[in-house]
Amino acid sequence: MNAFRNIAFVAARGDAAEVARDRLVARYGDVAPEQADVVVALGGDGFMLQTLHQHMSTHVPIYGMNQGTVGFLMNEYSEDDLPARLASAIATVVHPLRMRATAADGSTHEALAINEVALLRQTRQTAKLRIAIDGKVRVEELVCDGALVATPAGSTAYNLSAHGPVLPLDAGVLALTPISAFRPRRWRGALLSRRAVVKIDVLENAKRPVSATADFNEVRDVIAVEIREAPDISLKLLFDAGHGLEERILNEQFLS
């Protein structure tokens, strides 16, 4: 239990999360995040992603408690025995994706994504994309609403809604998933090595503009996007024993 003596509590905006933070601080104390052994995030999955991004360079483990809606990345909220729960929590390490996007004006933009990098059409016109893997073109022209590359941790989010596969954390793969593909009609995506470099070029970009989003960082009017895993960045999430992220991802594959 001494490993997590210094706890920083952070909360999403909203009465429930902020009240929960006040109660936990009164009971267990509070330190600034930069002085913490662990950060306890109170909110939903969106707030957990925000917290992970904010503390990406600190290597401090993050333990979430659900005060939001979905809570897939969160533990059950309880004010009791928090030090014991933290001490027995199981750590899951995830690596984000690194996006490098080139816009139509020639500017380049880099961002990290814990869930996915998604390209989406900006207008009523469908997007036309060319997809290359490790320098070899695999799809000459994908006519679609967009496409995404998802991590295992993010495979149950937007990727699953786009009918992409659920990925076990230790599978060592990424999901490349089309979004509402019109041509080729029967292409459902691909499983790629986590070491793969994905290059997506936007065809007819002036007529069919496309945006690229790494989690919640958006770049408009892109002409090319390169996506690869960032193995040099490790994020540590803590989950209660028996309710880890691996178990939740496995359960998602058996839900109707």
Side-chain angles (χ1 to χ4, degrees), residues 17-198:
E18 291 173 351
V19 168
R21 181 188 182 280
D22 291 342
R23 292 173 64 91
L24 289 164
V25 168
R27 187 165 181 175
Y28 298 107
D30 186 41
V31 300
E34 56 270 19
Q35 299 172 334
D37 301 315
V38 61
V39 172
V40 174
L42 304 165
D45 285 343
F47 184 69
M48 172 58 93
L49 284 178
Q50 178 183 328
T51 303
L52 287 166
H53 276 277
Q54 289 176 343
H55 299 282
M56 197 168 285
S57 61
T58 67
H59 307 295
V60 174
I62 311 294
Y63 178 89
M65 286 202 286
N66 191 19
Q67 287 291 300
T69 50
V70 179
F72 187 84
L73 298 174
M74 315 301 278
N75 297 286
E76 181 181 351
Y77 178 78
S78 174
E79 297 173 17
D80 297 328
D81 301 320
L82 181 58
R85 290 176 71 186
L86 293 173
S88 61
I90 306 299
T92 295
V93 176
V94 299
H95 302 285
L97 298 173
R98 179 173 281 116
M99 176 186 81
R100 181 179 176 83
T102 303
D105 63 4
S107 61
T108 58
H109 309 263
E110 292 193 0
L112 296 170
I114 297 163
N115 273 359
E116 76 279 315
V117 173
L119 282 75
L120 294 168
R121 64 185 177 103
Q122 293 179 192
T123 69
R124 62 180 179 83
Q125 295 273 16
T126 56
K128 288 188 177 181
L129 308 175
R130 181 171 58 237
I131 301 175
I133 310 299
D134 295 328
K136 183 175 182 178
V137 174
R138 296 292 183 177
V139 181
E140 287 284 354
E141 183 177 276
L142 175 65
V143 183
C144 57
D145 280 353
L148 62 85
V149 177
T151 67
S155 66
T156 59
Y158 191 7
N159 173 71
L160 183 59
S161 298
H163 307 290
V166 176
L167 305 177
L169 284 177
D170 59 356
V173 295
L174 305 173
L176 169 59
T177 303
I179 302 170
S180 301
F182 181 68
R183 289 285 189 275
R185 193 179 296 276
R186 291 183 176 83
W187 187 63
R188 294 292 180 263
L191 295 178
L192 308 175
S193 166
R194 64 187 301 177
R195 294 179 293 276
V197 178
V198 182

Side-chain angles (χ1 to χ4, degrees), residues 197-220:
V197 178
V198 182
K199 174 78 178 303
I200 302 178
D201 292 304
V202 179
L203 308 178
E204 301 178 22
N205 66 286
K207 180 182 178 182
R208 304 169 185 272
V210 168
S211 67
T213 304
D215 285 348
F216 38 71
N217 296 304
E218 183 185 36
V219 182
R220 305 282 287 181

Side-chain angles (χ1 to χ4, degrees), residues 70 72 155-157 160 166-167 245-256:
V70 179
F72 187 84
S155 66
T156 59
L160 183 59
V166 176
L167 305 177
L245 190 55
E246 294 93 338
E247 178 66 19
R248 297 178 191 208
I249 289 175
L250 184 61
N251 282 339
E252 282 290 328
Q253 300 179 73
F254 294 92
L255 296 176
S256 60

